[in-house]
């Protein structure tokens, strides 16, 4: 059974424009930038740089940060471009994505594919020569997992698509650590798991808001195939595991007092928000009542502040 709700606020938005219009040079440049999904890149770098601070137990080498950020930007951009190429058929039908470059035919699929490969090669070269081989290998693995694991294998086949597909978005924690230390340890693995358990509440809240979009293109996101009440319940479960995992960093990494206090406070606030959204799903599918985007935006703030605490902890407890 498909649950798409009675109040389709997403479907009520006006059409932002018809695809295929003549594009200026600026439109083309911005289209290529858009293919890389800059907001996603920002989020991934947010979990990379703070880990470098913690790995260095202070301010990391500036050259290492620059090369890691540059390589990470190319890597995340490459994965996003490949995703846009593969998903261009459904992107054209979804209101949330129909203004992307490929649905509007500003960039051809072939040109976008070449762009994706160029970014992927650049990311590998930059990380290999500017950082180290392990970071480059992790970057390539993340791209491959996002493209083949999530985009091509999981997204259109299972409600668990973003649970396991979200693993690709966890790799920046490992890359940030290896960029400083040249090796892996349990500390970045714990942070990897924090992002892993954060991804379902974050993505399901967004998918709940745009569930009619996903339903129209037969993408089985959890909010499409389950009622909002069940989505809210699973969000709460993952949120509890996420907060517990975040607190695990304290004994595993022997952090100072800054991180555990921040993790506890931020976690408590997040759990309150998750439970409140779940309560709002009782007896209704009306998105104006459930307000899933409130939790979505709060999840961004949670991850931002948590990783800021990761960076600040060694600076304030030296």
């Amino acid at each position: 059974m498909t649950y798409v709700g009675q109040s389709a606020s997403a479907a009520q938005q006006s059409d932002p424009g018809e695809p295929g219009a003549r594009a200026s040079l600026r439109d083309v440049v911005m289209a290529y930038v858009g293919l890389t999904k800059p907001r996603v890149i920002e989020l991934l770098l947010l979990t990379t740089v703070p880990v470098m601070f913690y790995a260095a137990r202070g301010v990391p080498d500036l050259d290492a940060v620059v090369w890691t950020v540059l390589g990470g930007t190319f890597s995340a951009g490459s994965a996003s471009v490949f995703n846009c190429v593969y998903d261009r058929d459904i992107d054209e039908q979804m209101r949330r994505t129909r203004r992307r470059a490929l649905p509007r035919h500003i960039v051809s699929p072939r040109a976008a594919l070449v762009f994706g490969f160029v970014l992927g090669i650049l990311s590998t070269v930059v990380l290999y020569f500017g950082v180290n081989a392990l970071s480059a290998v992790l970057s390539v693995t993340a791209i491959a997992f996002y493209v083949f694991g999530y985009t091509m294998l999981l997204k259109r086949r299972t409600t668990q698509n973003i649970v396991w597909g979200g693993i690709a978005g966890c790799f920046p924690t490992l890359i940030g650590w290896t960029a400083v230390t040249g090796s892996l340890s349990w500390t970045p693995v714990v942070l990897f798991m924090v992002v892993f358990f954060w991804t379902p509440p974050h993505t399901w809240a967004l998918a709940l808001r745009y569930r009619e979009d996903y339903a129209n293109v037969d993408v089985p996101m959890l909010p499409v195939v389950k009622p909002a009440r069940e989505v809210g319940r699973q969000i709460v479960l993952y949120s509890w595991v996420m907060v517990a995992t975040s607190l695990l960093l304290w004994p595993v990494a022997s952090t100072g007092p800054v991180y555990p206090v921040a993790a506890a406070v931020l976690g408590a606030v997040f759990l309150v928000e998750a439970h409140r959204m779940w309560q709002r799903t009782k007896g209704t599918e009306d998105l104006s009542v459930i307000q899933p985007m409130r939790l979505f935006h709060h999840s961004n703030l949670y991850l931002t502040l948590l990783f800021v605490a990761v960076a600040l902890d060694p600076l304030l407890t030296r």
Side-chain angles (χ1 to χ4, degrees):
M1 178 176 289
T2 298
Y3 292 82
V4 292
Q6 303 302 314
S7 176
S9 55
Q12 294 171 357
Q13 295 177 355
S14 59
D15 190 339
E18 294 298 326
R22 185 182 299 274
S24 66
L25 177 60
R26 180 181 182 279
D27 289 333
V28 173
V29 171
M30 294 308 297
Y32 274 101
V33 172
L35 284 172
T36 66
K37 301 182 183 178
R39 295 296 296 274
V40 174
I41 291 176
E42 290 175 13
L43 196 60
L44 294 177
L45 293 180
L46 171 69
T47 59
T48 304
V49 177
V51 175
M52 297 182 72
F53 274 77
Y54 195 84
R57 292 289 178 170
V59 180
D61 178 73
L62 181 58
D63 287 342
V65 174
V66 170
W67 289 117
T68 304
V69 167
L70 185 61
T73 298
F74 289 151
S75 177
S78 173
S80 293
V81 172
F82 288 133
N83 172 265
C84 286
V85 172
Y86 189 83
D87 279 347
R88 64 188 185 279
D89 58 331
I90 61 175
D91 282 352
E92 194 164 359
Q93 301 175 59
M94 297 174 65
R95 287 186 178 274
R96 186 174 67 88
T97 57
R98 63 194 295 180
R99 295 292 294 173
R100 288 177 178 172
L102 291 170
R104 294 175 64 199
H105 308 292
I106 297 177
V107 178
S108 71
R110 181 178 180 181
L113 197 60
V114 171
F115 183 48
F117 275 113
V118 169
L119 289 177
I121 293 170
L122 284 174
S123 71
T124 305
V125 171
V126 166
L127 289 173
Y128 185 87
F129 291 103
V131 185
N132 55 54
L134 180 56
S135 296
V137 169
L138 289 171
S139 172
V140 172
T141 303
I143 294 173
F145 196 93
Y146 185 73
V147 175
F148 297 107
Y150 170 67
T151 302
M152 299 178 68
L153 180 63
L154 297 171
K155 182 174 181 178
R156 307 192 193 198
R157 290 180 172 85
T158 173
T159 59
Q160 297 298 299
N161 46 21
I162 56 90
V163 176
W164 301 108
I167 288 176
C170 306
F171 273 83
T173 59
L174 305 182
I175 294 171
W177 184 270
T178 58
V180 173
T181 66
S183 63
L184 288 170
S185 72
W186 284 110
T187 297
V189 171
V190 171
L191 292 170
F192 179 103
M193 295 307 297
V194 171
V195 180
F196 176 79
F197 290 118
W198 168 87
T199 301
H202 170 77
T203 309
W204 284 336
L206 180 67
L208 189 58
R209 165 66 175 80
Y210 291 102
R211 59 185 173 184
E212 291 207 1
D213 258 2
Y214 289 110
N216 289 338
V217 294
D218 297 321
V219 173
M221 298 295 287
L222 185 67
V224 172
V225 301
K226 296 292 183 180
R229 186 67 174 167
E230 175 61 18
V231 176
R233 186 184 74 86
Q234 293 207 32
I235 284 176
V236 166
L237 290 176
Y238 272 93
S239 297
W240 274 99
V241 178
M242 174 193 73
V243 173
T245 304
S246 72
L247 293 172
L248 186 61
L249 186 68
W250 181 19
V252 168
S254 300
T255 71
V258 174
Y259 174 80
V261 170
V265 172
L266 292 169
V269 174
F270 191 95
L271 288 173
V272 168
E273 287 295 329
H275 276 274
R276 283 178 175 172
M277 197 200 82
W278 185 31
Q279 290 171 356
R280 293 194 295 268
T281 64
K282 188 174 183 179
T284 184
E285 295 289 327
D286 189 339
L287 297 183
S288 65
V289 175
I290 299 171
Q291 303 176 54
M293 292 303 288
R294 174 170 174 164
L295 182 64
F296 173 78
H297 292 306
H298 191 85
S299 68
N300 285 329
L301 182 62
Y302 168 84
L303 196 70
T304 299
L305 295 180
L306 184 73
F307 275 82
V308 166
V310 169
L312 290 179
D313 186 88
L315 296 177
L316 298 178
T317 57
R318 294 171 67 179

